[in-house]
Each structure stands twice: as structure tokens, then as C-alpha cells.
């Protein structure tokens, strides 16, 4: 009975008041677009702040651009998100291993697997950790490490 009531309510909103339906759809799509824009902007910034590692997994531009190529993006989201958490934690270990806020590599990995199945339910938590990492790394000085030092995530 509840499903039938929900169907009637949705049908009533979409048929009797199409302006409300299209307005709600427009607001939803605007929010989705803003989420995508700011998520990618912060992911780019996050990769930019760990480029002083001897062997970062990717560059900021490459991390974002390859997310837009169909089929490749299924593999690349692991590189863009999960490998960022690994590289970020390695940089935190080099700069301040006791006080630096670490990223949960497990959270990033589970997020990538859930996104493969169309369930980005952990995205808000992942982006919280990316933003926290960006805020931590922004005032940090650039590392001057020897590229042959052997550090690699």
C-alpha cells in the first residue's frame, strides 16, 4: 500500500504540477554538477600538493583527465583516489609521522569498489579526507628528497 501511495504522490506532482517536477530536477542536477566540479577541483589540488614525493603515482592533470575516458575511468578511479591516499600517507610519514592527519586507505579502496557498482555512498567521507589532507598540506614546505631514495607507495 505504501508503494502505491508513493507512486500516486509522484504521479500527482509530475502531472498536476510539472513546473515543480522540472524545478526539483533542475535543482538536483545543479547540485550534482557542483558536487562533481568541486570534488574534481579538490582532487586536483590534493594531487598537486604531493608532487614533491620522489615517485608520485600520477600528476594532477592526468588524475582528473583520465576519469573522463569511458572504460579507462573504471581502472583510473583506483589510481586517482586510492593511490592518492597511499601517497598522501607516505608524505605524512615523511613530514610529521606523529601529528599528521592520515587518510584511511581502506575507505578509499572500498569507495572505489562501490563506485564500480554505481554506489558512491562513501563519496562524502572520501572528500572530507581529501579536503582535510589539502588543508594540512597547503602550508607545508616542499620536500626536497633524493629521487633515488627508494620511497614509493
Amino acid at each position: 500500500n505504501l508503494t502505491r501511495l508513493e507512486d500516486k504522490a509522484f504521479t500527482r506532482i509530475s502531472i498536476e504540477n510539472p513546473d515543480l517536477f522540472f524545478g526539483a530536477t533542475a535543482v538536483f542536477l545543479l547540485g550534482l554538477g557542483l558536487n562533481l566540479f568541486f570534488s574534481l577541483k579538490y582532487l586536483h589540488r590534493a594531487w598537486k600538493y604531493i608532487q614533491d614525493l620522489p615517485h608520485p603515482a600520477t600528476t594532477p592533470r592526468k588524475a582528473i583527465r583520465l576519469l573522463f575516458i569511458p572504460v579507462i575511468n573504471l581502472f583510473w578511479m583506483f589510481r586517482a583516489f586510492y593511490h592518492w591516499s597511499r601517497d598522501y600517507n607516505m608524505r605524512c610519514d615523511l613530514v610529521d609521522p606523529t601529528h599528521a592527519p592520515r587518510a584511511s586507505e581502506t575507505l578509499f579502496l572500498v569507495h572505489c569498489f562501490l563506485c564500480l557498482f554505481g554506489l558512491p555512498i562513501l563519496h562524502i567521507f572520501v572528500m572530507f579526507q581529501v579536503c582535510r589532507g589539502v588543508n594540512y598540506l597547503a602550508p607545508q614546505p616542499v620536500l626536497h628528497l633524493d629521487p633515488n631514495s627508494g620511497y614509493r607507495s
Side-chain angles (χ1 to χ4, degrees):
N1 288 341
L2 185 59
T3 309
R4 195 169 58 198
L5 288 174
E6 290 173 350
D7 287 342
K8 283 183 179 180
F10 179 75
T11 305
R12 189 178 312 143
I13 289 173
S14 61
I15 292 174
E16 292 177 8
N17 196 350
D19 292 337
L20 177 65
F21 177 73
F22 290 119
T25 303
V27 168
F28 173 76
L29 291 176
L30 178 67
L32 196 62
L34 288 173
N35 178 31
L36 177 67
F37 173 77
F38 285 111
S39 294
L40 294 177
K41 179 178 175 147
Y42 269 88
L43 187 62
H44 182 276
R45 190 176 293 173
W47 274 106
K48 184 175 79 171
Y49 285 130
I50 60 171
Q51 289 302 300
D52 53 357
L53 289 172
H55 306 286
T58 188
T59 63
R61 294 176 96 185
K62 197 173 177 184
I64 302 305
R65 287 183 177 178
L66 290 178
L67 287 173
F68 288 101
I69 299 175
V71 180
I72 292 175
N73 62 357
L74 299 176
F75 156 77
W76 196 256
M77 86 174 110
F78 288 92
R79 186 66 88 168
F81 286 99
Y82 174 64
H83 283 260
W84 177 83
S85 68
R86 290 175 51 192
D87 284 358
Y88 168 76
N89 286 338
M90 183 177 56
R91 189 174 190 295
C92 289
D93 288 342
L94 294 173
V95 174
D96 186 9
T98 57
H99 297 100
R102 299 182 56 83
S104 171
E105 295 178 20
T106 305
L107 174 70
F108 281 76
L109 186 61
V110 170
H111 169 66
C112 291
F113 277 115
L114 287 174
C115 285
L116 283 177
F117 298 107
L119 300 168
I121 55 179
L122 296 178
H123 186 71
I124 187 84
F125 302 108
V126 166
M127 289 314 298
F128 171 76
Q129 292 199 5
V130 168
C131 291
R132 187 177 63 175
V134 166
N135 289 335
Y136 174 74
L137 292 177
Q140 297 291 327
V142 174
L143 291 177
H144 298 289
L145 298 173
D146 179 21
N148 299 319
S149 64
Y151 286 107
R152 179 67 212 121
S153 59

